[in-house]
């Protein structure tokens, strides 16, 4: 249970960076909300990997190269799910893009991401 809670703390930290980058990209740089969401997801993914490798799963003694490759595979799935979810909720359900991003990110983060990271990326 402690590992799951640590993973959620890591996810919250990464999500905060993701959301700040997304907001800045839209409001300061005028990016389309979906491009901004993808940019935020990239930043959040980098932060999440680093925290999870060192703190959540204590897997920093394993080969970094293989963890990165597995993380990229899982992260591409995450990117596709988040991007599709944000697009669907924003365009078809007319939710604000940030509300869409929060809802989709929470759903994906507590299910897909944690399971894939524990079982596939940082497994012992």
């Amino acid at each position: 249970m402690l590992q799951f809670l640590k993973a959620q703390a890591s996810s919250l930290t990464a999500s905060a960076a993701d959301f700040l980058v997304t907001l800045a990209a839209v409001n300061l740089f005028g990016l389309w909300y979906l491009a901004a969401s993808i940019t935020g997801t990239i930043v959040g993914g980098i932060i999440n990997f680093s925290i999870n490798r060192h703190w959540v799963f204590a897997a920093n003694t394993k080969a970094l190269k293989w963890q990165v490759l597995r993380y990229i595979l899982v992260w591409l799935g995450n990117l596709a799910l988040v991007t599709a979810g944000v697009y669907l909720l924003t365009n078809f359900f007319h939710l604000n893009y940030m509300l869409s991003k929060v809802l989709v990110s929470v759903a994906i983060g507590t299910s897909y991401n944690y399971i894939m990271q524990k079982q596939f990326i940082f497994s012992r």
Side-chain angles (χ1 to χ4, degrees):
M1 181 56 120
L2 179 60
Q3 188 177 61
F4 178 77
L5 293 174
K6 287 168 79 173
Q8 295 318 302
S10 171
S11 180
L12 284 172
T13 302
S15 292
D18 174 353
F19 298 155
L20 286 172
V21 167
T22 300
L23 281 170
V26 169
N27 295 316
L28 297 177
F29 301 108
L31 250 54
W32 178 45
Y33 78 90
L34 214 50
S37 177
I38 291 168
T39 304
T41 300
I42 292 169
V43 171
I46 293 167
I47 291 169
N48 186 253
F49 175 82
S50 180
I51 294 171
N52 285 350
R53 182 171 197 267
H54 296 287
W55 182 59
V56 176
F57 298 104
N60 50 338
T61 59
K62 295 193 176 216
L64 176 64
K65 176 177 74 172
W66 296 113
Q67 287 177 344
V68 168
L69 289 173
R70 288 190 303 255
Y71 188 84
I72 289 170
L73 288 173
V74 170
W75 180 83
L76 287 171
N78 173 75
L79 178 65
L81 291 168
V82 170
T83 302
V86 169
Y87 180 79
L88 290 171
L89 290 178
T90 301
N91 283 322
F92 295 106
F93 293 94
H94 307 290
L95 295 179
N96 174 278
Y97 72 94
M98 283 306 296
L99 177 58
S100 298
K101 187 164 181 77
V102 168
L103 293 173
V104 172
S105 295
V106 167
I108 301 303
T110 56
S111 58
Y112 172 83
N113 284 344
Y114 176 71
I115 293 166
M116 292 301 288
Q117 289 183 24
K118 182 177 180 181
Q119 300 298 321
F120 181 61
I121 299 169
F122 300 112
S123 61
R124 295 178 188 207

